[in-house]
Amino acid sequence: AGEMAAARAAGRLVLALPLDAVDPAHLVRDRLGAEEEALAELMASLLAHGQRAPIEVAETGPGRYGLISGWRRLTALSRLRAETGEERFSTVLALVRRPESAAAAYVAMVEENELRLGLSYYERARIAARAVDLGVFPTERAALQTLFAAASRARRSKIGSFLALVRAFDAVLRFPAAIPERLGLRLAQLIETDPAAAAALAADLAARPAPDAAAELARLTRAVSGPAKTAPEPPREIRPGLFLQATPAGLALSGPALDPDFRERLEAWLREGR
């Protein structure tokens, strides 16, 4: 009995908990959603073999638990219970953890997701921002250093850049987890160097939500690409040895016929306004 109590206290004892006893919203989730294909595969595995890996929870009250990690497994089990009505999907295998603090609980969640199915840069930045907003960490710097302590300094710097995207666009983006690293860094630069353009982009996304991830990425890419560049007009020969070319600055003359005598006569003609 003592060993059992000690194992439970240390979070080494796997328990079968009622599905409804686990609150999936105990922490602000780092993952923005689950791909339906991946979730369907997980449901098929659970249907065929049952749950193999336990989720992690924290006890929040008598018979009540808050989810720390395992959101996809909990979601899949809930769907299977609703679809099949089978009693075996009314419980979930779980390890009851006792994190020392809210910060430790967030670290456990992030680490579990990084190991099982890596987060996007946006999702990493978003959980850091939300943890700061909830008072779990005093600053964004502290959140980055604690949540992603195992990451390289360069990776933490990139996550920090994506924090700017979360602050500027989180309310208007529909598919932010699809933003690739390079595009995200360019958007962060836009936010820093041209706040007016970033605000205009946010307003446009709010007014005209993208129908899918591809359309949203295309609009974000256009925002950081600038106006399309046209190929310069080739010079054309207007008289033997003299070429004229249109440039962004105006008209340009070139060629062997552009000798000092020609230049002097041209300047005199321009001064007279003929």
Side-chain angles (χ1 to χ4, degrees), residues 11 72 83 97 109 119 137 141 157 220 267:
R72 292 173 67 248
E83 292 178 7
R97 303 296 194 190
M109 176 180 64
L119 300 168
F137 300 100
R141 178 184 175 86
S157 176
L220 295 174
E267 290 175 9

Side-chain angles (χ1 to χ4, degrees), residues 38-53:
L39 195 57
E41 291 176 357
L42 177 57
M43 290 172 64
S45 174
L46 290 169
L47 188 62
H49 308 293
Q51 183 186 353
R52 290 172 171 172

Side-chain angles (χ1 to χ4, degrees), residues 92-235:
V92 57
L93 299 179
L95 290 168
V96 180
R97 303 296 194 190
R98 287 179 170 77
E100 297 176 357
S101 62
Y106 275 90
V107 169
M109 176 180 64
V110 169
E111 287 181 345
E112 197 263 355
N113 268 333
E114 291 282 8
L115 288 172
R116 289 185 173 273
L117 192 62
L119 300 168
S120 68
Y121 273 105
Y122 191 94
E123 288 171 313
R124 293 181 180 108
R126 188 176 184 274
I127 190 59
R130 292 295 171 265
V132 172
D133 293 344
L134 291 170
V136 178
F137 300 100
T139 64
E140 291 178 350
R141 178 184 175 86
L144 291 172
Q145 290 181 336
T146 303
L147 291 174
F148 306 101
S152 66
R153 184 173 181 178
R155 173 163 288 208
R156 280 200 302 273
S157 176
K158 291 174 184 177
I159 299 171
S161 295
F162 270 75
L163 273 166
L165 273 67
V166 174
R167 297 303 189 192
F169 302 130
D170 197 51
V172 297
L173 289 173
R174 296 189 61 205
F175 310 96
I179 298 175
E181 175 187 331
R182 182 172 296 182
L183 176 57
L185 295 178
R186 292 173 68 189
L187 286 166
Q189 186 177 24
L190 176 71
I191 294 167
E192 181 180 358
T193 60
D194 195 345
L201 174 59
D204 181 59
L205 290 168
R208 300 184 302 115
D212 52 45
E216 188 166 89
L217 288 177
R219 289 167 66 181
L220 295 174
T221 301
R222 286 196 298 271
V224 297
S225 297
K229 296 181 179 180
T230 57
E233 177 186 304

